[in-house]
Amino acid sequence: MRIIAFAGQARAGKTTFAQSFAAASFDAGASPVIRSFAGPLKRAAADAGFAKDIAPDSYRSFCQVEGAAKRAENPDHWLDLFKQEVGLLAAADAAHLADCLEHDTEYHETIVLIDDM
């Protein structure tokens, strides 16, 4: 498994580039997945009923307040959730590799593309 992270200012094209990179990776025989470093917080907002595209100000406020509250409890809260997500991808990739080796089939490496580092 490989991890590639894209960093830059907002609206610089990180997600667009990650999508293009994913398509090229797939064409080259890999299994790309795009993940967001802020994914756990974004999912918490969605679970609480906040949608960025419908009410961006409320969404932003929720993310700021909830993000700070969880970091006050545990400074690594959001990082830990993201690491768990990547850990599950790594475990699945390792199982896929083991299966390919056991059955002499083609391995398609997982490439994790983080579009908001």
Side-chain angles (χ1 to χ4, degrees):
M1 185 172 92
R2 296 175 195 258
I3 300 173
I4 301 169
F6 303 102
Q9 294 179 337
R11 306 201 44 84
K14 298 179 297 293
T15 299
T16 301
F17 187 77
Q19 291 168 341
S20 295
F21 196 99
S25 299
F26 181 80
D27 290 345
S31 295
V33 293
I34 298 174
R35 291 296 184 264
S36 171
F37 185 70
L41 179 56
K42 291 176 180 181
R43 283 189 295 282
D47 291 346
F50 294 95
K52 185 177 183 178
D53 57 337
I54 296 172
D57 292 338
S58 297
Y59 171 85
R60 180 176 174 84
S61 178
F62 174 86
C63 289
Q64 289 173 335
V65 171
E66 182 71 4
K70 293 296 186 183
R71 283 191 308 275
E73 295 172 16
N74 171 8
D76 292 332
H77 175 79
W78 301 109
L79 176 61
D80 291 345
L81 291 176
F82 183 74
K83 286 172 25 181
Q84 288 174 6
E85 189 174 339
V86 172
L88 292 173
L89 291 169
D93 185 67
H96 172 59
L97 175 58
D99 186 60
C100 290
L101 291 171
E102 181 178 337
H103 296 99
D104 195 28
T105 57
E106 189 174 355
Y107 169 64
H108 300 280
E109 182 179 20
T110 300
I111 299 179
V112 180
L113 303 169
I114 303 169
D115 70 351
D116 67 345
M117 190 59 70

